Amino acid sequence: MDSWVGPLDTLIQDFSSIIDKLWKSVKYDVDGVVLEVTDPQLKKYMDLDLSLNKPYHSWQIAYKIDPEKAEVKVLSIIPQTSRNGRVTPVALLEPTKLSGVTISRATAHHYGMVKKKGIGNGAIIELIRSGMVIPKIERVLKEADPEIPKNCPSCNANLVWDADNLICPNVGDCPAQIINTVEHFFITLRNINGLGSATIEKLFENGVRDVCRIYKLRIDDFKNYGFGDKQSQNLVAELERSRTEPIEDWRFLAAFGVHQLGRANSEQLLKRVKLDDVFKVKVDDLVSRKIFATKTA
DNA sequence: TTAAGCCCGGTTAAGGTGCA
DNA sequence: TGCACCTTAACCGGGCTTAA
């Protein structure tokens, strides 16, 4: 595949023509080009960076073309409750072909945005695929009165506003919150196959509602819950492997889903504090040792 | 005080895998 | 063999931190 190598000044000056030439040299569809630092010393320096835990290096960046767009009718807005109780509006759209795929859903982020922008049933929106992947409501072309839900779609509890977000206050008893919390645990752990959302939902329906109980399940338990022979064996084998296979301590900590303690912050914390000491550490200590600023601490 | 940058928590679609 | 499910990729908005 063709590439262009040259000084930064020239790249900035002739950016469009350089990209265009590269683009036309490829015989199949591409969604962008990659800009890369070639100086080995500079690459090494950039890798030292800085903002901890980046899962990627800093010396490469993708450049993508302006995406296709389409005018699309909103069929309805459905609420979805996340693990922390936030109720997110998802727009169901008239199925629309964009950049080679058919899109029928897009997130509306929060009900504050739904209200403010008038994203109701029958609204017309401009739809793009951000980065040529994620369906995105770029703007609202024709507003429609939105319906704001009063109750949690999962447990029917009365919803409350928190800034722009609608929140289900039924912590600890809302099925969606419980299922999503368990799912988050296994997704973050990343050392277990076959235990996705549908499996976790099925376990929930059978009264298995926490990670601890899932790890205690045996083949017969799974079979009793309606799983097949092979799947039951696989799940127990995977749980056993997950329990015994070493993983990074930060991943284990992040799996619990503590607010503001995701993958990066967990790694940052455990570089300075032993996992066993996490519950003993004080706010002042975290701040004075410059592990976190006050609010996060 | 403000702007820039980063992290978290969230989203969807496509493709692969394996069960029934 | 069809289909349900899982995994992966890529991005966004909001909140927080940091540095000037």
Side-chain angles (χ1 to χ4, degrees):
Chain A
M1 195 179 292
D2 280 358
S3 62
W4 176 91
V5 181
L8 183 62
D9 290 347
T10 314
L11 177 65
I12 293 169
Q13 204 173 345
D14 302 329
F15 190 77
S16 300
S17 62
I18 291 169
I19 300 299
D20 191 53
K21 199 173 165 190
L22 281 175
W23 214 288
K24 286 173 180 164
S25 73
V26 184
K27 292 186 174 61
Y28 41 84
D29 285 346
V30 291
D31 66 348
V33 298
V34 175
L35 307 176
E36 178 180 327
V37 170
T38 52
D39 183 300
Q41 262 192 315
L42 185 55
K43 274 165 99 164
K44 203 173 170 188
Y45 173 76
M46 291 174 89
D47 264 348
L48 291 177
D49 186 25
L50 327 175
S51 52
L52 311 120
N53 317 318
K54 273 190 186 171
Y56 47 85
H57 41 250
S58 306
W59 45 269
Q60 275 188 328
I61 189 169
Y63 171 78
K64 299 195 175 187
I65 54 165
D66 287 339
E68 283 182 42
K69 53 189 172 187
E71 287 184 17
V72 181
K73 186 175 177 184
V74 175
L75 301 177
S76 62
I77 301 286
I78 56 164
Q80 283 184 183
T81 308
S82 69
R83 69 182 170 86
N84 57 18
R86 242 173 72 176
V87 177
T88 306
V90 178
L92 302 187
L93 308 168
E94 231 169 30
T96 304
K97 199 101 173 167
L98 212 58
S99 312
V101 305
T102 304
I103 293 168
S104 54
R105 296 161 71 97
T107 179
H109 297 291
H110 50 65
Y111 273 97
M113 175 171 153
V114 166
K115 254 169 82 173
K116 196 170 150 192
K117 296 193 173 178
I119 311 174
N121 301 359
I124 307 290
I125 57 126
E126 186 178 286
L127 182 71
I128 66 165
R129 291 185 75 200
S130 185
M132 297 193 75
V133 177
I134 307 293
K136 184 192 171 195
I137 298 173
E138 183 69 355
R139 59 195 175 111
V140 179
L141 301 171
K142 186 185 151 207
E143 296 185 15
D145 279 343
E147 274 179 41
I148 307 297
K150 290 188 170 59
N151 302 94
C152 172
S154 180
C155 67
N156 210 34
N158 288 327
L159 299 177
V160 292
W161 283 99
D162 177 21
D164 279 335
N165 292 297
L166 273 178
I167 304 288
C168 168
N170 191 13
V171 180
D173 211 28
C174 173
Q177 291 188 49
I178 295 169
I179 289 167
N180 291 329
T181 298
V182 173
E183 196 180 340
H184 171 83
F185 183 88
F186 289 111
I187 284 174
T188 310
L189 229 52
R190 269 193 160 177
N191 71 345
I192 190 161
N193 297 317
L195 205 79
S197 57
T199 306
I200 292 167
E201 216 170 309
K202 199 165 174 179
L203 290 173
F204 177 88
E205 284 162 10
N206 284 283
V208 182
R209 301 182 172 193
D210 61 74
V211 169
C212 190
R213 266 201 72 190
I214 291 176
Y215 274 104
K216 287 178 182 163
L217 294 176
R218 301 184 176 278
I219 293 175
D220 286 343
D221 297 321
F222 281 108
K223 285 204 236 175
N224 289 336
Y225 298 150
F227 293 91
D229 280 353
K230 182 73 179 163
Q231 194 179 8
S232 300
Q233 286 171 29
N234 288 348
L235 284 169
V236 169
E238 283 294 317
L239 285 166
E240 181 58 26
R241 187 173 65 80
S242 162
R243 184 172 27 215
T244 52
E245 199 175 79
I247 59 162
E248 302 95 328
D249 52 2
W250 59 264
R251 195 180 286 285
F252 178 68
L253 183 60
F256 288 92
V258 176
H259 187 56
Q260 291 298 318
L261 197 58
R263 282 167 284 188
N265 281 351
S266 293
E267 191 169 0
Q268 181 156 333
L269 175 63
L270 292 173
K271 275 180 183 165
R272 313 278 291 279
V273 177
K274 283 184 188 166
L275 186 59
D276 289 344
D277 296 335
V278 163
F279 285 101
K280 297 175 202 159
V281 74
K282 300 274 188 282
V283 173
D284 292 346
D285 201 25
L286 291 172
V287 176
S288 64
R289 293 168 69 187
K290 296 197 170 172
I291 299 173
F292 297 123
T294 313
K295 198 134 187 182
T296 302

